[in-house]
Amino acid sequence: MLIVQKYGGTSVGSVERIKAVAQRIGQTVAQGHQCVVVVSAMGHTTDNLIELAKQISSRPSAREMDMLLTTGEQVSIALLSMALQEQGHAAVSMTGWQAGIRTEAVHGKARIEAIDTDKIRRLLDAGNIVIVAGFQGVTETGEITTLGRGGSDTTAVALAAALKADLCEIYTDVTGVFTTDPRIVPEARKLPVVSYDEMLEMAILGAGVLHPRSVECAKLYGVKLVVRSSFTDETGTIIQEVSPVEQSLVVTGIAFDDDVVKVQVDGLPSDSGALARLFTLLAEQRINVDVIVQSQRSENEINLAFSIAEDDRVRAEETLAARRESLGFRHVAFEAGLAKVSIVGAGMMTNPGVAAMCFRYLSEAGIPIKMVTTSEIKVSCVIPRDRMEEAVNRLHNAFGLADESPSS
Ligand code: ADP
Ligand code: ASP
Ligand code: MG
């Protein structure tokens, strides 16, 4: 079999850990498999590099940030390759560009466009273990890019798809995908199987265990994906296509995102052109808009509330202030310190009333709901950040996620 394995930051966080990872890869190879390995930067390297940049500039150029951050992964591929060689294996490390990972020309959150796998194939066929730097690629014109925080998962899945690998294993510091983050809810339960769609929602809604793009890519190309621990041999979670009939749980998991800013724009002209202009402007500034709530203010005016991430707040403030007249709204206000808590489950499609239950559980605890958004398989509520952990625990409990039995 051809297996792509990915090891995250904690899994390669020290020399001892790198040696342990090399052992694990050695075991896979000893079973007769070919192995491509994707690694993240060691431990908190990426955070530390970001911190260094902040000490130099409050607005470092996106190009130089990518140049800086990609060094983290370059350290771990070389060290892991050395560790494998030390254990008697043939191993070769490759940066993203050497591995042929081409991305769009966007710094900081580029998407992979194509992978030229010739070089990796040749190295594999010559009997090497190939170690590829996660989270990075190169544009058509040779610029180095990164895929966004947590992007090494996407490197691994995209490589598995391009190489038509039999399996993609994501090794991390938890034993699988849980009903919610086990750090916040100790009773959270490991899920043996999760569908691509539910996993995608969970990832988009903040479950940091997998980069959203990696799940999207796995679904698109039918990559068999497993999340498991690099610290134990426990079986992990399989992410695959699951037919609705097999899904017994109404709510599968709870995700949360503690980085939410609410933007309230009041008195916008009620023609649809104004809405289009406002959101086009934000998109041009690459400001990601999430929950959007619109209400009628008067015959000719609407009020609008939407959410963005803290990182985009200053740019949004500047953009909206500069364009208040041309957009024609009366007033804008920003409310930071919010969080979004979401319940996810494919079973919701056929079970009306889940949203009502969710609102009731939160209101019984006196947790104010600022904004709401729903889809067929999720309900999200924006609430104060300081009530987030309480809300997650309450909902986890109320929907019976800690028990083995399906929720009602
Ligand atoms: P890595 O460095 O291996 O990529 P991450 O920190 O990116 O690891 O992802 C693993 C973390 O994801 C876990 O330590 C856990 O705190 C967090 N997490 C959030 N939601 C979930 C969930 N539903 N199941 C498992 N882990 C989760
Ligand atoms: N090192 C990068 C990060 O910390 C990418 C990754 O770990 O997946 O975000
Ligand atoms: Mg990660």
Side-chain angles (χ1 to χ4, degrees):
M1 288 212 300
L2 171 57
I3 301 179
V4 175
Q5 297 186 335
K6 178 259 173 177
Y7 293 90
T10 315
S11 302
V12 294
S14 65
V15 166
E16 286 66 39
R17 288 299 312 155
I18 290 177
K19 288 181 182 172
V21 163
Q23 290 280 359
R24 192 178 279 273
I25 298 166
Q27 286 165 13
T28 309
V29 174
Q31 288 163 10
H33 304 306
Q34 283 186 315
C35 216
V36 172
V37 181
V38 173
V39 273
S40 295
M42 292 171 70
H44 296 291
T45 302
T46 310
D47 290 331
N48 296 341
L49 290 170
I50 292 172
E51 195 43 49
L52 273 181
K54 276 192 190 151
Q55 289 176 31
I56 302 267
S57 162
S58 61
R59 284 188 180 199
S61 104
R63 179 188 187 276
E64 301 310 330
M65 276 311 282
D66 280 356
M67 194 60 91
L68 178 69
L69 297 191
T70 46
T71 62
E73 272 68 14
Q74 198 165 335
V75 171
S76 29
I77 51 168
L79 291 177
L80 180 57
S81 189
M82 287 175 201
L84 282 163
Q85 289 166 3
E86 201 61 32
Q87 291 175 15
H89 299 285
V92 183
S93 66
M94 300 175 104
T95 61
W97 66 266
Q98 287 178 314
I101 301 175
R102 198 167 52 70
T103 74
E104 58 179 357
V106 173
H107 287 293
K109 42 184 162 184
R111 289 164 71 100
I112 296 177
E113 283 180 337
I115 304 184
D116 176 358
T117 54
D118 283 359
K119 210 161 160 187
I120 296 182
R121 279 253 175 244
R122 277 203 300 277
L123 287 166
L124 281 175
D125 291 344
N128 293 286
I129 300 166
V130 180
I131 320 288
V132 181
F135 169 65
Q136 55 178 265
V138 67
T139 67
E140 212 162 4
T141 59
E143 290 294 313
I144 287 174
T145 53
T146 60
L147 312 182
R149 295 305 304 269
S152 298
D153 300 330
T154 298
T155 306
V157 176
L159 277 171
L163 290 162
K164 301 195 169 54
D166 300 282
L167 179 63
C168 181
E169 295 178 313
I170 306 289
Y171 284 93
T172 181
D173 56 5
V174 281
T175 55
V177 177
F178 284 66
T179 46
T180 191
D181 189 341
R183 285 177 211 271
I184 302 293
V185 182
E187 309 84 60
R189 190 165 48 83
K190 187 172 77 183
L191 297 161
V193 179
V194 183
S195 69
Y196 289 126
D197 288 335
E198 287 172 309
M199 192 62 238
L200 184 57
E201 282 286 7
M202 297 257 285
I204 290 172
L205 295 168
V209 63
L210 283 175
H211 192 236
R213 267 295 282 162
S214 70
V215 187
E216 204 175 43
C217 185
K219 179 179 159 74
L220 193 60
Y221 295 99
V223 175
K224 187 170 175 206
L225 197 58
V226 172
V227 177
R228 54 185 300 192
S229 167
S230 68
F231 294 79
T232 72
D233 284 327
E234 224 178 284
T235 37
T237 300
I238 301 170
I239 292 126
Q240 62 181 28
E241 210 64 71
V242 178
S243 74
V245 206
E246 293 170 67
Q247 286 166 342
S248 54
L249 292 181
V250 174
V251 176
T252 305
I254 298 180
F256 50 87
D257 170 3
D258 65 1
D259 175 24
V260 178
V261 174
K262 180 182 170 194
V263 186
Q264 177 81 41
V265 178
D266 287 341
L268 191 69
S270 63
D271 66 291
S272 53
L275 267 186
R277 276 196 301 282
L278 189 139
F279 287 113
T280 305
L281 192 63
L282 295 171
E284 280 166 5
Q285 296 294 318
R286 288 206 161 255
I287 295 167
N288 240 336
V289 173
D290 185 22
V291 183
I292 304 176
V293 179
Q294 182 199 309
S295 57
Q296 202 69 33
R297 178 188 171 100
S298 65
E299 204 184 322
N300 304 319
E301 283 182 336
I302 55 165
N303 289 344
L304 191 68
F306 56 90
S307 68
I308 59 172
E310 179 60 42
D311 252 7
D312 289 336
R313 181 162 60 95
V314 173
R315 242 172 327 134
E317 277 171 355
E318 289 172 0
T319 307
L320 290 176
R323 301 292 285 272
R324 192 167 81 90
E325 267 173 31
S326 61
L327 291 169
F329 62 85
R330 290 179 190 278
H331 181 255
V332 60
F334 288 78
E335 182 178 1
L338 301 174
K340 187 173 70 177
V341 173
S342 310
I343 55 174
V344 176
M348 277 183 217
M349 264 188 267
T350 46
N351 281 276
V354 180
M357 279 160 79
C358 174
F359 304 149
R360 195 178 77 227
Y361 295 141
L362 292 177
S363 83
E364 277 169 2
I367 298 173
I369 302 173
K370 305 258 176 184
M371 283 194 274
V372 169
T373 173
T374 66
S375 79
E376 280 180 322
I377 66 165
K378 70 124 197 266
V379 177
S380 299
C381 299
V382 173
I383 62 170
R385 188 186 293 154
D386 57 8
R387 307 295 299 274
M388 184 186 81
E389 289 197 16
E390 181 194 349
V392 173
N393 272 283
R394 272 186 180 274
L395 293 172
H396 193 267
N397 207 4
F399 282 105
L401 292 180
D403 309 327
E404 280 300 323
S405 59
S407 64
S408 55

